[in-house]
Amino acid sequence: MANKNRRPNNKFAKLSLNNKTFKLPIYNSTQGESVIDISKLHSQAKIFTYDPGFTSTASCESKITFIDGDKGILRYRGYDIEELAIKSDFIEVVNLLIYGDLPNKEQLIKYKKLISRHTLLHEQIINFFQGFRRDAHPMAMMVGVMGALSSFYQDSLDINDPHQRQEATRRIIAKSSTIGAMAYKYSIGQAFVSPKNNLSFSENFLHMCFSNTAEEYKISPILAKAMDTILILHADHEQNASTSTVRLAGSSGANPFACIAAGVSSLWGPAHGGANQAALEMLEEIGSSKNIKKYLSKAKDVNDPFRLMGFGHRVYKNYDPRAKILKKICKKVLNHVGIKNDPILKLAIDLEKIALKEKYFIEKKLYPNVDFYSGIILRAIGFPPEMFTVIFAIARTAGWTAQWTEMSEDPIQKIGRPRQLYTGNKSLKYGLKRSKKNTR
Ligand code: SDX
């Protein structure tokens, strides 16, 4: 068994409790914060740490993605997101995230072929879609069909077999795009369009969504590049809610398709990946710049549950670097599709300008995040808001599978099982004491 204390440490934190002092090892990172190892704290001191939302808790060691929230830095395996967005493509980034370094030319050509070989779905999976109402949210189909894949690809379920893990990863990435496109076609009542393996990943997704049996969709290189950049920007993001969900599901030994279905479910929430749909719907509700002040007051009102969707972030206390890139792409895509002076983009820019001058947003360090501008681009490409989070999920299969693979290969990996601060009833005898409340 690998050395439990895998990181040599010569620094300790001291905790004084009940007249005892506990030495807690400190491990240094290569970048960003160090960590205090509290894994032995309960056995030594019979006490838990308490951190709802894990605001100060590192759940694992990882080499995949680094974020500096104060400086607005995002790196995949050490490469700045700004450079990857311009110079790389989505499948190369997938390979980088999973294998840890950039593939050479031959490796990339081979990997793209391997992924394209998995874009087809078993024909019987079509029946799963027939079970959904036509107005089902496409994310409901993503969750259901992704989980169902485990019953069709039983030769890639053994998480202890590196070959099966690799095969499952490729299937998940390739088929997520086909499932996403099928969910869109089903929701608009059009026949499914098969993937074409001579197209790039992003071109293929646009083809499966916008071609139909009567005519081929003419793929614009500008829109294909915008799509590919959006996938790169959404590929991974350290231990966010959906990735932590995938890791926790994986820690029990659940099969990879079930773990990714759990990640899709978590991403769907409006506080997470669902924010791109919510942000566009919010902008449409605000309608015009003259209403901005009213909505900013709602956002600042502690008694009002309204939040500025696409704003704020647990880690970024500066401008989300992905939002900066997306803001630049907006204008290019809108011009390309002939939308001059889009009122929604103008409103988003005005809203950002006014919000960033408000004391509330400055003090709480709330900036636009990845979800603030992405919907404007996706709508211009032709997607309805319900598809925005599906596209986020397709991209994030790269990060989810990379993080799941890293967890599966981590020698000290164990089932995730947090504890709690219990404040419920002490021991009671079963008897006549019954609730007096008449509502239940
Ligand atoms: C993603 O984690 C990731 O990396 C996620 C992600 C990824 O790539 O995986 O980056 C993708 O999920 C981006 C975030 C998308 N969500 C939204 O845009 C929804 C709107 N944003 C908020 O719900 C919020 O900012 C969160 C959920 C993103 C972050 O919430 P936190 O870290 O729990 O912060 P918080 O809620 O404690 O906020 C701190 C303060 C609070 O006020 P106080 O309690 O201190 O008085 O800021 C306020 C919040 O009320 N606040 C907002 C706000 N976001 C935070 N007030 C108004 N509008 C907002 N958007």
Side-chain angles (χ1 to χ4, degrees):
M1 197 53 182
N3 165 16
K4 284 276 184 192
N5 198 355
R6 77 199 139 220
R7 198 171 272 293
N9 70 294
N10 49 17
K11 283 196 293 184
F12 293 87
K14 283 196 180 129
L15 176 69
S16 299
L17 195 65
N18 307 331
N19 302 323
K20 282 188 190 159
T21 302
F22 300 92
K23 281 177 69 175
L24 304 170
I26 291 177
Y27 305 138
N28 293 326
S29 64
T30 49
Q31 285 223 288
E33 285 77 353
S34 300
V35 297
I36 298 173
D37 181 345
I38 55 162
S39 54
K40 302 285 181 294
L41 181 63
H42 179 245
S43 57
Q44 290 167 355
K46 289 291 167 214
I47 195 165
F48 297 137
T49 58
Y50 181 63
D51 183 13
F54 312 119
T55 53
S56 306
T57 296
S59 60
C60 63
E61 175 183 344
S62 179
K63 295 176 168 49
I64 298 174
T65 291
F66 172 70
I67 303 171
D68 181 323
D70 295 329
K71 296 189 185 121
I73 291 172
L74 169 59
R75 293 194 187 115
Y76 293 162
R77 298 285 188 180
Y79 294 94
D80 283 318
I81 194 68
E82 293 82 356
E83 213 178 0
L84 291 171
I86 295 168
K87 299 177 182 170
S88 187
D89 66 49
F90 179 60
I91 296 302
E92 182 179 66
V93 164
V94 170
N95 193 277
L96 169 67
L97 287 168
I98 291 172
Y99 295 100
D101 54 10
L102 284 168
N104 61 42
K105 201 163 171 299
E106 291 69 34
Q107 286 169 332
L108 184 56
I109 291 167
K110 183 171 168 247
Y111 191 67
K112 286 184 174 178
K113 276 209 177 75
L114 282 169
I115 294 288
S116 67
R117 284 270 156 67
H118 286 298
T119 49
L120 279 174
L121 286 172
H122 188 292
E123 268 307 289
Q124 268 184 251
I125 289 177
I126 292 177
N127 302 327
F128 282 93
F129 286 92
Q130 306 307 341
F132 285 99
R133 285 170 46 130
R134 288 284 176 179
D135 62 354
H137 196 291
M139 281 296 276
M141 298 183 227
M142 281 298 274
V143 172
V145 178
M146 183 61 77
L149 294 187
S150 58
S151 60
F152 287 85
Y153 302 106
Q154 305 195 28
D155 60 341
S156 58
L157 300 183
D158 179 358
I159 66 162
N160 299 310
D161 175 346
H163 171 71
Q164 290 196 37
R165 284 204 302 264
Q166 189 168 239
E167 206 54 8
T169 299
R170 290 170 185 164
R171 282 172 163 154
I172 288 162
I173 289 159
K175 296 179 195 304
S176 67
S177 168
T178 310
I179 295 168
M182 289 171 81
Y184 173 56
K185 285 302 203 186
Y186 186 78
S187 67
I188 59 173
Q190 281 190 9
F192 299 137
V193 172
S194 293
K196 276 184 172 176
N197 289 345
N198 63 323
L199 297 174
S200 76
F201 187 92
S202 300
E203 289 168 342
N204 217 351
F205 180 63
L206 294 175
H207 156 69
M208 290 188 282
C209 288
F210 299 127
S211 289
N212 60 51
T213 44
E215 61 186 85
E216 193 70 8
Y217 170 71
K218 194 172 173 334
I219 298 168
S220 137
I222 289 178
L223 298 189
K225 174 65 183 159
M227 190 73 249
D228 206 69
T229 305
I230 285 173
L231 295 174
I232 289 173
L233 295 176
H234 288 79
D236 192 47
H237 213 240
E238 198 213 72
Q239 306 310 320
N240 57 85
S242 53
T243 298
S244 301
T245 302
V246 170
R247 278 181 172 259
L248 197 56
S251 73
S252 75
N255 76 69
F257 303 100
C259 295
I260 300 303
V264 176
S265 303
S266 170
L267 185 76
W268 194 356
H272 190 13
N276 48 24
Q277 174 179 346
L280 188 81
E281 288 166 351
M282 173 193 75
L283 290 169
E284 287 170 342
E285 183 187 328
I286 294 173
S288 105
S289 300
K290 65 179 186 332
N291 299 327
I292 288 176
K293 285 285 184 193
K294 181 180 106 185
Y295 279 84
L296 289 182
S297 313
K298 284 169 62 65
K300 295 183 289 188
D301 178 355
V302 285
N303 301 313
D304 189 329
F306 174 80
R307 289 228 170 141
L308 217 47
M309 301 317 279
F311 251 76
H313 199 277
R314 171 63 55 78
V315 177
Y316 288 121
K317 300 308 168 192
N318 198 325
Y319 212 106
D320 183 333
R322 301 168 297 177
K324 273 187 196 154
I325 298 167
L326 288 165
K327 190 175 174 182
K328 282 190 205 134
I329 298 175
C330 269
K331 290 198 176 78
K332 193 170 181 184
V333 168
L334 288 166
N335 285 340
H336 179 74
V337 299
I339 302 176
K340 304 277 180 242
N341 312 317
D342 177 34
I344 292 290
L345 176 60
K346 183 183 174 312
L347 174 59
I349 292 171
D350 290 352
L351 175 58
E352 173 194 332
K353 217 180 285 173
I354 297 168
L356 294 187
K357 289 196 185 102
E358 295 251 340
K359 188 163 159 282
Y360 175 92
F361 288 86
I362 295 167
E363 278 176 0
K364 294 181 189 297
K365 300 184 179 172
L366 303 174
Y367 291 85
N369 61 47
V370 68
D371 293 306
F372 192 60
Y373 288 104
S374 55
I376 296 172
I377 302 168
L378 293 172
R379 183 186 64 149
I381 293 176
F383 293 105
E386 293 73 25
M387 277 298 289
F388 296 174
T389 312
V390 168
I391 290 162
F392 194 149
I394 291 166
R396 192 51 59 91
T397 55
W400 290 332
T401 51
Q403 300 268 354
W404 173 81
T405 301
E406 184 179 63
M407 179 209 69
S408 309
E409 292 168 354
D410 186 339
I412 74 154
Q413 150 58 28
K414 56 173 66 173
I415 189 165
R417 206 291 187 198
R419 302 303 302 273
Q420 63 181 9
L421 169 65
Y422 176 71
T423 53
N425 287 328
K426 290 183 180 165
S427 167
L428 295 175
K429 285 272 172 273
Y430 185 83
L432 298 178
K433 186 172 176 292
R434 303 281 172 178
S435 164
K436 292 190 175 52
K437 294 182 196 119
N438 53 15
T439 52
R440 184 159 294 192

